[in-house]
Amino acid sequence: MSDASGASAPSESREAAGSAEYDVIVIGAGPTGENVADRTVAAGLRTAIVESELVGGDCSYWACIPSKALLRPPAALAAARAVGGAREAVTGRLDAAAVLERRDSFVSGWQDDGQVSWLDSAGIELVRGHGRLDGERRVTVRRPEGGTLVLTARHAVAVCTGSAAAVPGLPGVAEARPWTPREATSAKSVPGRLAIVGGGVVGVEMAAAWGALGSKVTLLMRGERLLPRMEAFAGELVAEGLAERGVEVRGGASVAALRRPDPRGPVTLTLEGGEEVEADEVLFATGRRPRTEDIGLETVGLEPGSWIEVDDTLRVSGVDGDWLYCVGDTNHRSMVTHQGKYQARVAGAVIAARAAGEPVDAAPWGRHVATADSAAVPQVVFSEPEAASVGVTAEEAERAGRRVRVVDYELGNVSGAALFADGYRGRARMVVDLDRGHLAGVTFVGPQVSDLLHAATIAVAGEVPVERLWHAVPSFPTVSEIWLRLLETCRDQEAAG
Ligand SMILES: Cc1cc2nc3c(=O)[nH]c(=O)nc-3n(C[C@H](O)[C@H](O)[C@H](O)COP(=O)(O)OP(=O)(O)OC[C@H]3O[C@@H](n4cnc5c(N)ncnc54)[C@H](O)[C@@H]3O)c2cc1C
């Protein structure tokens, strides 16, 4: 793993300490920070990006990329086993060591040279160290080799410091040395028994990954349903899939305390009610907190440690002067990489427009306003089966008082799905807004449904009238014929009143 010690790199700022002035300063070189900087440099603004760990951020080294690298080999194996004729050719087991090695290659051995080269090619100047706001348009950087660099921004500062794991302060938690998603995505060996606390996306994906790699996984969740932010059937079908693969999913299980008296021995979780669960490792997948405790928020009148509120141009609320922006996880609008990068494109365009004295509301393509963060956020859970959704669930729509029609269809009844995998099981739901005549939300659960999601995202974000979707004819025989079946069912429901 890289020590992120600030070894000299081509794009790195040569000022060891002292001061420097830029048009734009970005704090945090995760996917969102990189994209803000890319946009502002493209607009001709001299931009510095400050990074305290690895250029590329959590997404590249401890989240999206390694988790999907762990999940892809079991998914490929399951896909082959689901097709007669191919199944017979698959006689071996998953090679866990090879999977971990492949994961390591995707994270470049936790070295960021490749991403540093990209910064260099894009003309973005890297400053290694811990960045802190220091009043209006100023950022101080604690350099890894010692000393402080003071940076001043002529136009804007963008906070893109991301989020970190939130681990509850339970008795014994420090002694238990639990895994966070960082350890779960970077572990070098497969634990015999893994307890996972949390039934959200990260808990589910890590249960699928480590279960497939050979751990005996017990997933403990407080509620009764996995993936509580999705349609209920998503959690149910994913729980069935995990159970079929040997994962024990336990609802209504709240961890009260932990102990690991021997640092090299097992960890014991005591549940509320007194029952105990023993494991070799325990992962807390219990949510995120903003990385804002030590970034100088108090110097601009904001609360350290809080999520940072922004308007739809990603400008920080409550700070005067149009100079401070916050993009990505830290603003808590939508904590996925693709949505953070979308915000980054908006923020970059807004910063460039304001620097040029142009209005920010008249841009073509509406590219100065982040409108899709709440209405049309696509999300994929890479479990087996996969779950993919965009827009609102039926429950959310009804809670918001919207008049909706809920249309369900079994994916296994689509001919393309039957060809795709023997005994294909899955379900789709579309939620139609009856007053506006377009889709408010779509959910798919089944093998490889992630590939169906973007069509749904276009329909929801584009507010395409449902009657118009009738003329978007899916190819035969593909799984996307689900669209035809959903629309037919919708029409039949409408005819039946
Ligand atoms: C296990 C897991 C799997 C995930 N899988 C997916 C997925 O498949 N798809 C998806 O879209 N999303 C996924 N996510 C979410 C995704 O990782 C985040 O939404 C994304 O990383 C947010 O990007 P960011 O740039 O805001 O923050 P980050 O990626 O966290 O980057 C922030 C950067 O800021 C740096 N930094 C922080 N403070 C300072 C400071 N004071 N000075 C200098 N630098 C600083 C950090 O070192 C870091 O490099 C996953 C998350 C987890 C935990």
Side-chain angles (χ1 to χ4, degrees), residues 28 31-32 51-53 57-58 63-64 68 130-131 161-162 329 337-338:
T32 66
E51 174 53 53
S52 58
E53 293 185 271
D58 262 43
C64 326
K68 269 76 249 180
H130 179 93
T161 51
D329 277 14
T337 292
H338 41 278

Side-chain angles (χ1 to χ4, degrees), residues 251-321:
S254 237
V255 180
L258 302 97
R259 62 178 192 279
R260 194 195 294 254
D262 173 357
R264 282 175 301 182
V267 56
T268 303
L269 287 72
T270 307
L271 306 186
E272 271 171 19
E275 193 190 337
E276 294 192 335
V277 174
E278 194 179 88
D280 298 299
E281 298 293 350
V282 55
L283 161 65
F284 274 88
T286 42
R288 312 286 297 169
R289 63 181 168 78
R291 288 184 70 175
T292 58
E293 320 79 19
D294 184 24
I295 61 162
L297 288 188
E298 66 286 358
T299 69
V300 294
L302 300 175
E303 180 69 26
S306 60
W307 300 106
I308 298 178
E309 200 185 315
V310 293
D311 66 15
D312 286 347
T313 68
L314 286 313
R315 183 179 52 187
V316 173
S317 309
V319 176
D320 293 335

Side-chain angles (χ1 to χ4, degrees), residues 64-437:
C64 326
I65 298 299
S67 62
K68 269 76 249 180
L70 291 174
L71 285 158
R72 180 61 198 146
L77 190 58
R81 286 197 171 130
V83 180
R87 182 184 308 127
E88 289 70 16
V90 182
T91 50
R93 294 160 57 92
L94 203 63
D95 181 337
V99 173
L100 296 181
E101 203 178 306
R102 183 170 183 270
R103 183 269 326 263
D104 292 355
S105 74
F106 272 93
V107 296
S108 311
W110 290 274
Q111 301 289 328
D112 63 4
D113 316 78
Q115 304 240 20
V116 172
S117 301
W118 177 80
L119 288 184
D120 195 36
S121 66
I124 301 162
E125 294 179 50
L126 172 62
V127 179
R128 297 272 191 189
H130 179 93
R132 293 187 98 254
L133 293 166
D134 183 23
E136 188 171 337
R137 292 172 214 269
R138 267 164 59 101
V139 173
T140 57
V141 183
R142 223 163 40 231
R143 302 281 273 164
E145 67 276 19
T148 299
L149 182 61
V150 178
L151 308 180
T152 311
R154 281 184 283 269
H155 297 293
V157 176
V159 174
C160 305
T161 51
S163 64
V167 177
L170 296 168
V173 75
E175 174 196 87
R177 292 178 289 103
W179 278 6
T180 68
R182 282 202 168 201
E183 289 75 27
T185 51
S186 62
K188 295 287 187 188
S189 59
V190 181
R193 295 164 301 171
L194 174 64
I196 297 181
V197 186
V201 179
V202 174
V204 163
E205 288 189 344
M206 291 297 96
W210 289 105
L213 287 168
S215 292
K216 173 77 194 98
V217 177
T218 306
L219 188 149
L220 305 163
M221 58 182 169
R222 256 202 220 136
E224 289 300 334
R225 154 176 159 198
L226 289 177
L227 305 173
R229 294 194 181 161
M230 288 187 154
E231 297 283 5
F233 69 84
E236 286 156 17
L237 293 176
V238 167
E240 277 173 26
L242 287 173
E244 281 165 12
R245 287 161 180 81
V247 173
E248 188 185 355
V249 178
R250 297 183 53 179
S254 237
V255 180
L258 302 97
R259 62 178 192 279
R260 194 195 294 254
D262 173 357
R264 282 175 301 182
V267 56
T268 303
L269 287 72
T270 307
L271 306 186
E272 271 171 19
E275 193 190 337
E276 294 192 335
V277 174
E278 194 179 88
D280 298 299
E281 298 293 350
V282 55
L283 161 65
F284 274 88
T286 42
R288 312 286 297 169
R289 63 181 168 78
R291 288 184 70 175
T292 58
E293 320 79 19
D294 184 24
I295 61 162
L297 288 188
E298 66 286 358
T299 69
V300 294
L302 300 175
E303 180 69 26
S306 60
W307 300 106
I308 298 178
E309 200 185 315
V310 293
D311 66 15
D312 286 347
T313 68
L314 286 313
R315 183 179 52 187
V316 173
S317 309
V319 176
D320 293 335
D322 287 354
W323 65 275
L324 187 60
Y325 296 78
C326 176
V327 183
D329 277 14
T330 323
N331 66 33
H332 211 213
R333 282 166 71 107
S334 177
M335 294 174 66
V336 281
T337 292
H338 41 278
Q339 228 49 44
K341 285 159 72 173
Y342 162 76
Q343 293 173 8
R345 294 190 285 274
V346 170
V350 166
I351 291 168
R354 289 195 173 126
E358 292 166 4
V360 297
D361 51 2
W365 296 30
R367 63 171 198 269
H368 286 159
V369 188
T371 51
D373 289 35
S374 51
V377 177
Q379 165 102 56
V380 176
V381 186
F382 292 84
S383 45
E384 289 170 42
E386 290 179 346
S389 68
V390 61
V392 295
T393 62
E395 204 179 307
E396 282 166 346
E398 278 156 19
R399 227 183 296 129
R402 292 167 79 170
R403 259 181 3 103
V404 294
R405 166 164 291 122
V406 178
V407 183
D408 288 342
Y409 200 86
E410 293 301 314
L411 264 159
N413 295 339
V414 173
S415 49
L419 279 164
F420 184 83
D422 302 342
Y424 189 111
R425 267 187 297 155
R427 193 174 307 160
R429 167 171 289 180
M430 67 183 196
V431 179
V432 183
D433 185 313
L434 291 176
D435 293 318
R436 304 189 64 191

